[in-house]
Amino acid sequence: MRVDVTLPTAHLLRPAVRQHTALIDHLLLLLLIIASRWIFRSHALYQMDSVNFALGMQHFAPVLHQPHPPGYFLYVKLAQLVQHILPNPNDALVAISIGASCLAAALTYQLAQVWFGRTAARWAGMLFVFSPLAWFHGTVAMVYIVESGMTALIGYLCWLAFCGKREMVIPAAIAFGLAAGIRQSTALFLAPLLLLALRQAGWRYALMAMGIGAFTVAAWFFPMITESGGYTAYFTALDDLWVRVSGSHTLLLTLWHTIFMVTAIGLCFGAATPLLLVRGLPLTLPPGATLFLATWMSLGLLFFLGGVFTLMNLGYPLFLFTPLFALLGAKLAALPVMAEGGRKRLLLILVLIAVHTAIFLFIPLYTSHAAISQYELDLPRVERGLRAVAIPKKTIVVALDAHFYGFRHIGYDLPEYLVLSYPEHHFSRGTGVFSMQGRRTEILGSIPVGQYERFVLYIPWARNTEDYRRFLNSHFDTKNMSTVNVGGDEFLTGPASALDRIFPATARIDQDDRMQYHRSEVAIGSTEIGTLTTTIKTQ
């Protein structure tokens, strides 16, 4: 049964706004987006996922987390196309983020104008431009803002179909199929919205849209499976990751999750967050818009409130940005101070911009520009320290499976070393450890300990902490270990034969070999690094 939208489409789309004025608004909005994102863009791969995407651009292999499952196939393929213009992988991925930011901002403005009028659309656009979280994701090599742009496009096309332009359900289905190839969660969250639009369009257009949408999905799904090594390889890797990740989350609404939600909302909407709680403002939605918005946001809000998100995946809420910023823009436009105009309105605008800019620039979280800049200074220093401590052909480097300062960054930036990811992982086919060398990823069932003399372990943030000391004492015979301080960063080094203490399933050696290794490594330790704590200064 279709929803009866009694008003004509022309009224719902509010065409009374002069087109050239709306065009100027769009151009100013896009210029602000491009300028603000380009000026503060990251200049290096910022997070572990960013390195995964860069490796996927080089060789697509979700089994090896190039990138991590489910693969983001069309996102990687788009990045490969952009790479013909911008060869640097980070530059190509950031350019996509800026383009997606423009798409999301323009369609947020358009839908706010459709629902609430031009004034609300302007405020919605401004809030999007200066949203601390949208700003951050528009400057880094991550996929979340691309999902936001595709969500906005699907939402806008579904709204047109919902309002009576039934033929628009076909491009909506195409956009839905493409979005699923970029980030599969988009299909999950927006499936109810597309079904609502299909129901409103009538059976003939619905069947056409479903057929074309299925063809769109098939056009990328089967090539992705082929490049992934087949169905078994792809779905086994997906299942392995799902089992590992799902076991680390809880669906209980704990105190920490409450704190996280408040933090996430504040990063999304900044000083405009209180408007979410303001009621009684004169907002008038077109017929059917309440049902449309509820259908759009229901599943996403359920996941958000259910504790699926953490502080390390703050990009997830971005798929809700378009409808929420449209509502916030309408609320902002309806405030009495906005209707009065004059200095009070100007002061409120300046305060909003200043607060949001300060959050983006300085908040002590990884989503700030200050954090990006600091990371781009710190990571090269850590890598210089590793080069000062470790001889490539003689030393295995061990790094954490971490979002920052971890295995992926070190393995990508130091291709001359064999770099291992701590800890081991249990896969469907047995226990293995991720390794990198020459920017090639492998899952090793057996670490080639006999080919190396020493190892170097780097654990960020852990120096002189009780947890770090407890880890060392429980895993190593510290009499055979050396702590080396290089430029303020601490590295633990020891004989390669000791790696079985942290890689018990993949670094095993027999007793005769262990005796031989210990004799040679004691000599190496006394001549090259020593058994006492050493400090090395670097420029």
Side-chain angles (χ1 to χ4, degrees):
M1 184 176 183
R2 287 184 291 161
V3 177
D4 183 17
V5 182
T6 55
L7 291 178
T9 304
H11 176 82
L12 291 177
L13 300 182
R14 299 183 188 266
V17 178
R18 297 171 62 183
Q19 289 190 3
H20 74 275
T21 305
L23 179 61
I24 292 173
D25 286 349
H26 276 96
L27 289 176
L28 289 175
L29 184 63
L30 297 181
L31 285 173
L32 280 172
I33 286 284
I34 293 171
S36 59
R37 275 56 175 173
W38 180 258
I39 291 171
F40 293 101
R41 72 192 186 279
S42 63
H43 297 280
L45 297 166
Y46 182 54
Q47 197 241 30
M48 176 176 65
D49 290 355
S50 303
V51 183
N52 288 343
F53 292 131
L55 290 168
M57 293 163 66
Q58 176 183 305
H59 172 62
F60 183 80
V63 174
L64 301 175
H65 288 215
Q66 294 189 186
H68 47 293
Y72 312 90
F73 185 66
L74 292 185
Y75 178 61
V76 171
K77 293 303 175 183
L78 177 60
Q80 289 174 339
L81 289 176
V82 177
Q83 203 173 16
H84 290 294
I85 303 172
L86 300 170
N88 182 281
N90 184 72
D91 292 345
L93 291 166
V94 170
I96 293 173
S97 295
I98 295 174
S101 299
C102 291
L103 177 64
L107 291 173
T108 298
Y109 175 100
Q110 191 67 24
L111 277 171
Q113 178 180 292
V114 166
W115 292 330
F116 304 108
R118 181 184 168 209
T119 302
R122 284 180 163 179
W123 297 131
M126 185 198 75
L127 289 173
F128 185 94
V129 170
F130 292 101
S131 162
L133 201 58
W135 199 342
F136 163 76
H137 280 283
T139 64
V140 293
M142 298 171 71
V143 73
Y144 297 109
I145 195 67
V146 183
E147 180 181 35
S148 182
M150 293 303 296
T151 299
L153 177 61
I154 296 166
Y156 180 65
L157 293 172
C158 284
W159 173 252
L160 294 178
F162 183 77
C163 291
K165 290 191 172 184
R166 299 181 182 183
E167 67 278 7
M168 298 308 294
V169 77
I170 294 175
I174 294 173
F176 183 88
L178 293 174
I182 293 172
R183 183 172 169 81
Q184 280 81 344
S185 61
T186 310
L188 172 65
F189 295 136
L190 290 189
L193 188 66
L194 182 63
L195 290 174
L196 180 66
L198 290 171
R199 183 180 182 184
Q200 193 75 356
W203 68 269
R204 186 165 65 90
Y205 280 107
L207 288 176
M208 291 174 58
M210 286 190 292
I212 295 174
F215 177 80
T216 303
V217 171
W220 62 260
F221 179 77
F222 292 110
M224 179 190 71
I225 292 296
T226 300
E227 290 196 33
S228 301
Y231 290 97
T232 302
Y234 176 81
F235 285 105
T236 298
L238 184 61
D239 182 66
D240 286 338
L241 180 64
W242 174 255
V243 170
R244 193 160 69 241
V245 172
S246 62
S248 64
H249 293 299
T250 175
L251 295 179
L252 297 177
L253 190 62
T254 61
L255 174 62
W256 284 113
H257 181 57
T258 303
I259 294 172
F260 158 71
M261 287 195 300
V262 173
T263 303
I265 293 170
L267 287 172
C268 291
F269 309 116
T273 301
L275 286 174
L276 294 171
L277 304 177
V278 174
R279 306 184 68 179
L281 294 174
L283 302 182
T284 303
L285 278 167
T290 301
L291 172 63
F292 187 86
L293 285 168
T295 305
W296 187 336
M297 296 189 294
S298 56
L299 274 182
L301 288 174
L302 180 64
F303 271 69
F304 182 75
L305 296 175
V308 176
F309 307 137
T310 69
L311 282 174
M312 292 312 300
N313 54 25
L314 280 171
Y316 279 58
L318 265 70
F319 62 83
L320 294 171
F321 268 22
T322 292
L324 288 177
F325 275 120
L327 289 169
L328 283 176
K331 286 190 171 187
L332 189 58
L335 290 176
V337 67
M338 290 300 181
E340 294 173 4
R343 293 182 178 179
K344 290 184 178 179
R345 182 172 68 178
L346 178 61
L347 179 61
L348 178 59
I349 294 170
L350 293 176
V351 167
L352 284 173
I353 293 175
V355 170
H356 290 198
T357 302
I359 292 173
F360 167 68
L361 291 178
F362 304 116
I363 191 170
L365 289 174
Y366 77 93
T367 56
S368 71
H369 179 67
I372 297 173
S373 300
Q374 189 62 48
Y375 190 69
E376 291 177 350
L377 291 175
D378 289 347
L379 184 61
R381 186 196 67 239
V382 171
E383 292 167 349
R384 287 195 300 270
L386 282 168
R387 283 193 167 105
V389 172
I391 301 172
K393 293 183 179 181
K394 297 182 178 181
T395 312
I396 296 175
V397 175
V398 181
L400 293 185
D401 181 17
H403 288 273
F404 301 99
Y405 305 97
F407 157 73
R408 271 308 192 197
H409 280 97
I410 292 173
Y412 188 85
D413 292 339
L414 304 181
E416 66 270 29
Y417 290 90
L418 173 63
V419 183
L420 304 181
S421 172
Y422 175 82
E424 296 171 325
H425 292 298
H426 299 290
F427 301 94
S428 300
R429 299 179 180 178
T431 302
V433 57
F434 279 99
S435 71
M436 286 186 69
Q437 191 168 26
R439 293 189 175 174
R440 293 177 64 252
T441 305
E442 291 185 71
I443 299 176
L444 300 179
S446 177
I447 299 171
V449 176
Q451 299 177 24
Y452 294 87
E453 298 170 353
R454 301 194 66 81
F455 79 90
V456 171
L457 171 68
Y458 175 66
I459 300 180
W461 317 297
R463 185 179 56 175
N464 295 325
T465 65
E466 186 62 30
D467 289 341
Y468 180 48
R469 297 304 169 194
R470 190 180 301 114
F471 170 82
L472 297 184
N473 291 330
S474 63
H475 285 81
F476 296 107
D477 180 2
T478 54
K479 292 183 295 183
N480 295 327
M481 300 295 119
S482 300
T483 299
V484 183
N485 189 295
V486 185
D489 296 300
E490 189 171 289
F491 304 92
L492 180 74
T493 181
S497 59
L499 281 174
D500 63 344
R501 302 295 299 273
I502 54 175
F503 298 112
T506 56
R508 292 178 178 175
I509 57 175
D510 60 44
Q511 190 64 30
D512 291 338
D513 287 339
R514 182 181 300 278
M515 295 293 292
Q516 179 180 352
Y517 291 151
H518 275 306
R519 285 194 296 269
S520 62
E521 284 160 351
V522 168
I524 293 168
S526 62
T527 56
E528 291 188 3
I529 298 177
T531 57
L532 300 176
T533 299
T534 306
T535 300
I536 302 174
K537 295 182 179 180
T538 61
Q539 296 297 323

